Amino acid sequence: MVALMQTPLRPTPPLRLVDAPPQPSSAAQEAIIRVDDLSIVFDVPRGEVIAVDRVSLAVLPGEFVSLVGPSGCGKSTLLNAMAGLERPFEGEVKVAGEPMVAPRPDIGMVFQQPHLFPWKSVRRNIAHGPRALGKSKTEALRIADDLIDMIGLTRFANAYPHTLSGGMQQRVAIARALANQPRVLLMDEPFGALDAQTRAVMQDNLLELRDRINATIVFVTHDIDEAILLSDRVLIMSAGPGRILRDLSVALPRPRSSAILTDPAYLALKRDCLDLIRTEGRKAFEQMEAAT
Amino acid sequence: MSAGGSSRTTSAGRLSVLVGALSVPAFVGVWELIARSRIVNAVLFPPPSTVAVAVLDWIHSGQFFGDLSASLFRVTAGFLIGTAGGIMLGVLTGRFRLVSSLLSPLFHILRPIPPIAFVPIVILWFGLSEAGKLFLVVWGVFFTVWLATHIGVQKVDRGLIRAAQMLGTPRRQMLTEIILLGALPYIVVGLRTAVSISFYTLVAAELAGAFAGIVYRIEIAQQNMQTGQVMGGLAALGLLSFIADRSFAAIAERAVWWR
Ligand SMILES: Nc1ncnc2c1ncn2[C@@H]1O[C@H](COP(=O)(O)OP(=O)(O)OP(=O)(O)O)[C@@H](O)[C@H]1O
Ligand SMILES: [Mg+2]
């Protein structure tokens, strides 16, 4: 299985989507997120489920990395482990040199559902983090107001979450995660529940936002377009148990916008990516068949 | 055609309001007629006018307010103590596995015993003191509120808890804000049930022996064959618990303020 992971599928075509070069050890040392041989196993009534299977990866400070893979392949579990919400069964996750054993406020998380506190207004939802970290009420609300302006919801500052649309709620969730100025922002299919139009707008917003904040971002999605559009690197995961199949650099110029979605070079990238997923997916499937 | 339909609905609506307003007076009138017609024994079944006189006497004698405040105190204090305890332990058993393993089996055994069944032992323990009456009301309220809170806490959206954890929410705030407010919609339902339970345990507590109270007055009147006073007491008790239930419903609607 390890051999399979290391075998290149085919010679790298002259595309701007390329296998990431193996990181030199100096770069590996400055990685802000290190996942080493991580396995996560869940106990279920009928035995155990291996959700993450010996995954290793490193993310450099300031990088935007996407995790792509079929449903149930362990993307959320891997992300939760980086967040300190899930404990390793084997292996280790280190963020900024510290092993993750519990959630830390320097790591922000945006979930697939907004999970806003329904009893708090938009403003107070965003101020929750700074308040929890001991900032004064005035200070926390000032941070919140700045972020509300940034996400364009000034008119809704005092609205309660259930009066907002899904897209607006998700923007609040992003602002709430940013309020603690995290060094690492983990995003678990943040736009997965949105319609295509809202989603496109949110992607543009995130690209813009990214230039303004100084965070490393790990972004889970199963939308290949989204992954290529946003990321510096795309990690492609196999169908469960989750392993990382390929580590691809996206060498598209920045700043990007969703306009590139119709660019021929981009389409070529996407096709290559989809081929890869299909081939690898089939392999994983056959492997599973053979095993049973 | 639609205009005719709508005007018919309006007139039907007006009619039902009218009938609704007449419901109680009509009932009282019929009762008065039957009682005065001597079809029934007027001592056992006094007309409303007799009941009204008895109630006025009750008020003028000054006993009414003593009885009312004694009963109100028992219900209110019992409700508040039982609620505080129920919410506190419900949060603990709902949130902490170990506390739940320790207490839940015990609570599940004690909870189904009707609180009235504790009257004899309460008399042994507390005599006719006020503490015994409070105990009964607290007992009835506590288990209802505890169960509602326990279930509510377990149903708090995991995602909310995780979001709060990611934002650095301290443990204490997690319990007192995220968990408690997350469970509030369930707790409120439990509290509404607890309001009526507190009245029904009050009845048991005052029947067991008291020196003042609305139910106590009913019992005394029964021993003296003052049927009018008995019925006046019942009406007062009904009115009281009706008001309590309605005001609680109004409070409950605002308690979950974000919906
Ligand atoms: N708490 C849990 N208990 C038991 N099994 C779990 C738990 N969480 C996840 N799993 C299992 O682990 C595997 C990976 O789940 P995970 O949620 O990480 O997938 P995912 O890649 O995020 O899927 P999706 O794209 O649908 O969100 C699945 O088989 C899932 O059933
Ligand atoms: Mg997921």
Side-chain angles (χ1 to χ4, degrees), chain B residues 75-95:
Chain B
V75 163
T76 317
F79 180 82
L80 290 179
I81 297 171
T83 293
I87 291 180
M88 224 142 42
L89 280 163
V91 167
L92 293 180
T93 58
R95 185 73 179 143

Side-chain angles (χ1 to χ4, degrees), chain A residues 76 112 188-189:
Chain A
S76 297
Q112 184 161 2
D188 190 356
E189 296 187 47

Side-chain angles (χ1 to χ4, degrees), chain B residues 95-250:
Chain B
R95 185 73 179 143
F96 303 108
R97 197 70 160 279
L98 200 66
V99 185
S100 179
S101 311
L102 184 70
L103 296 177
S104 295
L106 179 69
F107 288 177
H108 279 299
I109 289 173
L110 293 178
R111 193 178 59 85
I113 307 175
I116 298 179
F118 285 87
V119 166
I121 193 126
V122 163
I123 291 175
L124 283 181
W125 285 344
F126 298 96
L128 296 183
S129 71
E130 215 45 41
K133 289 164 193 54
L134 273 183
F135 176 89
L136 279 175
V137 180
V138 169
W139 187 271
V141 169
F142 171 81
F143 288 107
T144 312
V145 176
W146 167 73
L147 189 65
T149 309
H150 178 82
I151 292 173
V153 165
Q154 292 188 324
K155 298 224 164 155
V156 174
D157 183 4
R158 233 174 110 80
L160 277 188
I161 297 174
R162 291 191 146 187
Q165 281 177 329
M166 290 309 299
L167 295 168
T169 313
R171 273 177 85 81
R172 198 197 163 90
Q173 191 187 0
M174 189 70 100
L175 283 185
T176 56
E177 185 191 331
I178 311 297
I179 301 290
L180 199 59
L181 291 183
L184 190 62
Y186 287 86
I187 298 177
V188 163
V189 173
L191 290 185
R192 179 131 191 224
T193 318
V195 169
S196 52
I197 287 184
S198 63
F199 274 92
Y200 115 89
T201 41
L202 172 79
V203 173
E206 291 191 1
L207 284 181
F211 305 105
I214 291 179
V215 182
Y216 160 79
R217 193 63 55 199
I218 293 175
E219 202 191 7
I220 296 295
Q222 175 246 327
Q223 284 162 10
N224 297 333
M225 277 301 278
Q226 296 164 320
T227 322
Q229 168 80 77
V230 170
M231 289 183 168
L234 286 177
L237 190 65
L239 193 65
L240 195 62
S241 62
F242 174 80
I243 292 171
D245 183 65
R246 278 308 152 100
S247 21
F248 190 83

